[in-house]
Amino acid sequence: MKSKINEMLLTYGLSEECSILPMLDSFNDEEEIRKYCWRVLNTYSDLKKEDWIIGIEGGDFIYSFDGNYIFITDDIWNFNLIAKQPVLQLLVDKIKALKY
């Protein structure tokens, strides 16, 4: 499964990119981050699932919006979002504005 994830990250130019989690360290936990990330992402009318791996408990996904790609791990145990730094900052700003 790891090789398919690495392939997805390479294909969409995200293999060297960082996680959104450290940028939202004032949030309580990954569940709260998950909730706000999806609320913000769902405001993009062109949000599209480009690639995915589905398991029983969740999956790994590549989404696109506004010409940007993001990688999301979303399962019953954890949540993570990986993107290029400008995209991460855009999302973090919108998430913080929504929360605060």
Side-chain angles (χ1 to χ4, degrees):
M1 195 63 68
K2 204 58 150 169
S3 63
K4 173 63 174 163
I5 292 171
N6 290 340
E7 180 184 317
M8 288 168 65
L9 292 169
L10 279 169
T11 299
Y12 292 93
L14 300 171
S15 62
E16 301 295 320
E17 302 306 330
C18 298
S19 168
I20 200 169
L21 299 179
M23 299 173 75
L24 296 171
D25 60 351
S26 63
F27 282 61
N28 293 327
D29 55 26
E30 288 179 20
E31 185 59 37
E32 183 181 30
I33 293 171
R34 170 189 284 125
K35 179 178 88 172
Y36 280 96
C37 279
W38 282 117
R39 284 180 64 189
V40 167
L41 289 170
N42 284 317
T43 66
Y44 290 94
S45 61
D46 65 339
L47 183 67
K48 178 182 176 193
K49 192 184 308 179
E50 301 284 347
D51 199 358
W52 58 90
I53 304 167
I54 300 291
I56 294 171
E57 301 87 9
D60 299 292
F61 310 91
I62 296 285
Y63 280 89
S64 66
F65 66 93
D66 284 352
N68 301 299
Y69 293 104
I70 58 174
F71 174 80
I72 296 177
T73 294
D74 193 357
D75 60 37
I76 63 173
W77 295 289
N78 58 50
F79 177 85
N80 198 5
L81 186 151
I82 295 171
K84 294 185 180 300
Q85 188 60 39
V87 177
L88 290 176
Q89 192 60 57
L90 171 76
L91 295 174
V92 165
D93 291 346
K94 289 183 176 209
I95 288 166
K96 287 183 174 179
L98 187 61
K99 181 176 180 182
Y100 304 111

